[in-house]
Every structure is written in C-alpha cells, then in structure tokens.
Amino acid sequence: MDQEYTKKIHDYTTDPSFLSPVIDYLPASKTVPTPEKVLGDVSGAPNMLPYAGDVYKYFRLLAASSPRVQVFTNGHTEEGREMIAAAIADESLLKGAKENGERLAQLVDPRTIGLDDTKAKPLIDASYPVYYITGTIHSTETGAPTALMELACRLAVDDSPYIKYIRSHMIVLITPVVEVDGRDRMVDIYKWHRANPGKEWPRLVYWGHYVAHDNNRDAMGMTLDLTSNVLNTYLDWHAQVLHDLHESVPFLYDNTVGDGPYNAWIDPILAGEWEELGWLETYGTK
Ligand SMILES: [Zn+2]
C-alpha cells in the first residue's frame, strides 16, 4: 500500500461513507508511478483540475512503466485536440487482443458461424470480454478524468484478488476525456475562478465545439468527431459494455438505466440487463 497517498485519500474525503474498501487505499509499486507524479498531489485533490494533456501524460507514463497498459490515439476533435484510449489487462490478454477481437467479431455476427451453437461454444470459451469506460463527455461534470487516472493505476498495479481477477479476465478500455475541447475550456474557467475570488465566473456557453449538453445524444445524428471516435473504438474492440460516466450535483448518482420507462422497441433482455447492472452497482447484489 502507498501509505502517503492513502493518507491523503482519507484526509481529503469529506465523509468516510464516500469511501469503500475497494478505493480507500492506493496500491504501491516500485516501478509504476501514481497520479501524484504528474499532478503534484493525489487524483481528485482539492483545488486541482488538470487539463486533458496532463491526464494523457499520466496514462502514457503508465504505459511506459507497465506492460499491462497500452495507450493509443483514437482520433481528434473538431479543434484538433487528441483523444486517447488506454487498454489495461494482464500482458497475455493484451498480446492476444487482436485474435480475441476476431473471435468476438464472429460472436457479434453469428451468421459468420452459421448460427451454430457448437461453433460458438469454443469461441466463447477462448474469448474474454472488453469493458469500455468513457469519462467527461459533459465538460462541466469534472470528476471522471482524475477518477479514471486512479482507476487505471489500481488496475495496473494492485495485487488484491478482486483487481487480479478483473485484470486476468477482461480488457478494460478507458477514454478518460471524451469532450476534450470542452474540458480544456472548463479548466480555463476553473483557473480563472480560482484567480478571481468573489467575482462571478463566466459560464461555458458551449460545453464543447458549438455543442452543449446534447453531445451525448449525438449517437443518433453522428455529427461530432467525439461520437465517431468513441463509436469506432467501441466497434474496433467489439466491447460488450460501454460505460459512460456522468455526474449529478446533489446526489451519489449511479446509473440511469436501472430505472424505466424504456422505449417499447428496445429488446426486453437488454432492458433487463440494464436493471441488473443498476442493482449490482448500487447494492452490490442482484
Ligand atoms: Zn452528463
């Protein structure tokens, strides 16, 4: 355990009920740096909001120091800012990612195996799922990038059975900042606010490049670069889950999908699985 980092997690957290045994410490490593290396303090420390560039810097540091982390550019924004995705898993899983993707592609479109269960079975047995997490599509919801820096660190170095199981059974993909144009402007405003105490801070007119809150409805129109970049990553990796992190101001808000009403044309099996995820994340049980 990284004693110093862990102490700060406890010092900075305003109430112990916000912590859980999974996140109330940071694992120590002799070779892999913690987010403090880039940020100068722990991830999510008070009065600190990093630009996308600093978030990327840490992910690249992880990739340089651990064979369990790979980072790649998965596109650019309208204003030319880079978007990244990091893949985290045991080295052997990352090495076999291409073949794994080819197997998943056959399962995704079972016409390729003649809808034959006996052909599907060995593919399923040999494959591992991909869990894709994205952060800060809404730039005013600022917490996800730093939370994901810390999560990436845990996934890469923690030797607890819980994390080891995740690392050896699936690839976790992380895009820490989806709305990169908006994030960097949000950090500008935050810094202005800190430098001008007592003054009314200017609001973000747009949360991104001429788009506000509705960038997360763009999957229907596909008008934004961030949508194509995330969708291409999702499709390229044949991810089973795309988990997009948002924030709610007043509550510990988990997950909208555990609650209806649902569009009647959505497959009831899918709606049932959403509800199951919602229960699991809120109560840790079905
Ligand atoms: Zn949101």
Side-chain angles (χ1 to χ4, degrees):
M1 207 208 294
D2 186 321
Q3 303 290 349
E4 208 179 308
Y5 196 107
T6 298
K7 188 183 176 302
K8 283 184 177 173
I9 291 178
H10 288 268
D11 287 350
Y12 290 154
T13 304
T14 50
D15 190 289
S17 66
F18 292 123
L19 292 171
S20 86
V22 179
I23 53 150
D24 65 358
Y25 69 96
L26 199 80
S29 164
K30 287 198 178 72
T31 49
V32 181
T34 73
E36 195 164 10
K37 174 95 177 165
V38 168
L39 301 176
D41 203 340
V42 307
S43 238
N47 304 323
M48 179 228 288
L49 201 62
Y51 286 106
D54 289 326
V55 178
Y56 296 175
K57 206 170 169 184
Y58 180 64
F59 275 87
R60 292 210 153 95
L61 217 55
L62 274 181
S65 57
S66 168
R68 295 169 178 160
V69 183
Q70 292 174 357
V71 173
F72 54 93
T73 302
N74 64 340
H76 288 83
T77 67
E78 279 78 1
E79 295 175 18
R81 291 183 178 89
E82 185 192 20
M83 285 178 70
I84 66 160
I88 308 174
D90 274 354
E91 208 178 341
S92 58
L93 267 62
L94 289 181
K95 273 197 179 126
K98 190 171 171 285
E99 293 73 23
N100 188 59
E102 285 161 6
R103 286 191 296 270
L104 293 176
Q106 288 177 277
L107 293 168
V108 166
D109 183 358
R111 290 171 303 180
T112 57
I113 51 170
L115 295 165
D116 185 345
D117 282 351
T118 60
K119 286 183 184 161
K121 180 78 171 64
L123 291 172
I124 293 168
D125 290 344
S127 302
Y128 35 94
V130 179
Y131 194 105
Y132 187 17
I133 308 173
T134 54
T136 300
I137 192 168
H138 290 151
S139 51
T140 55
E141 298 157 20
T142 52
T146 35
L148 289 171
M149 289 165 80
E150 209 171 272
L151 176 67
C153 177
R154 289 174 203 288
L155 288 172
V157 309
D158 198 337
D159 275 328
S160 68
Y162 176 69
I163 297 291
K164 265 177 148 168
Y165 182 88
I166 294 172
R167 205 162 56 214
S168 59
H169 284 77
M170 70 188 72
I171 292 179
V172 177
L173 265 185
I174 297 176
T175 290
V177 186
V178 173
E179 179 53 271
V180 194
D181 295 335
R183 168 70 177 194
D184 282 359
R185 277 200 277 282
M186 189 65 210
V187 176
D188 284 343
I189 285 181
Y190 177 74
K191 287 185 185 302
W192 186 93
H193 179 48
R194 300 263 315 141
N196 294 274
K199 286 192 196 160
E200 180 64 26
W201 49 280
R203 308 277 153 169
L204 271 188
V205 178
Y206 293 105
W207 293 15
H209 185 76
Y210 298 114
V211 65
H213 184 261
D214 270 358
N215 58 1
N216 68 331
R217 276 81 166 172
D218 189 50
M220 287 181 274
M222 294 286 293
T223 62
L224 300 167
D225 290 346
L226 62 88
T227 316
S228 344
N229 296 337
V230 168
L231 190 64
N232 285 338
T233 309
Y234 171 77
L235 293 174
D236 286 348
W237 284 78
H238 305 287
Q240 279 61 56
V241 177
L242 172 50
H243 187 163
D244 189 41
L245 304 176
H246 290 253
E247 261 169 49
S248 167
V249 177
F251 304 116
L252 277 176
Y253 176 89
D254 176 63
N255 190 332
T256 322
V257 300
D259 193 12
Y262 302 119
N263 182 323
W265 301 111
I266 286 175
D267 186 334
I269 294 175
L270 179 62
E273 286 174 347
W274 285 342
E275 194 173 291
E276 207 172 300
L277 276 173
W279 280 101
L280 192 74
E281 288 178 1
T282 309
Y283 298 108
T285 176
K286 282 184 198 176

